[in-house]
Amino acid sequence: MACADDPIKTETLDVSGLSLGQLRAYEGTALGEAVRRVLAESAAQGEAVAGFDSNMPPVEGSPS
């Protein structure tokens, strides 16, 4: 069983130091396909909008 003090292991790649042009060099690989998909999805989305709609019935005995 893992201990709380054990380091967290991940398979996530840190590509923050690469430009989009450098990432294009990975075209045809799994990384290149993931980048292509993220870019296509971000281009297809419109403006990001968040909304919240709450419709809760009144609590019995509370003032209206």
Side-chain angles (χ1 to χ4, degrees), residues 1 5 9 11 14 18 20 30 32-36 39 41-43 47-48 55 62:
M1 178 175 252
D5 294 330
K9 296 178 182 176
E11 298 298 323
D14 180 7
L18 300 176
L20 289 176
E33 178 59 22
V35 170
R36 187 205 57 77
L39 292 174
E41 289 174 1
S42 68
E47 181 180 345
N55 186 10
S62 67

Side-chain angles (χ1 to χ4, degrees), residues 8-64:
I8 296 173
K9 296 178 182 176
T10 180
E11 298 298 323
T12 304
L13 298 174
D14 180 7
V15 296
S16 60
L18 300 176
S19 69
L20 289 176
Q22 291 169 314
L23 287 173
R24 284 193 186 101
Y26 292 95
E27 195 170 321
T29 67
L31 176 60
E33 178 59 22
V35 170
R36 187 205 57 77
R37 189 181 74 239
V38 168
L39 292 174
E41 289 174 1
S42 68
Q45 293 179 355
E47 181 180 345
V49 177
F52 178 78
D53 186 14
S54 175
N55 186 10
M56 297 178 59
V59 177
E60 193 172 311
S62 67
S64 316

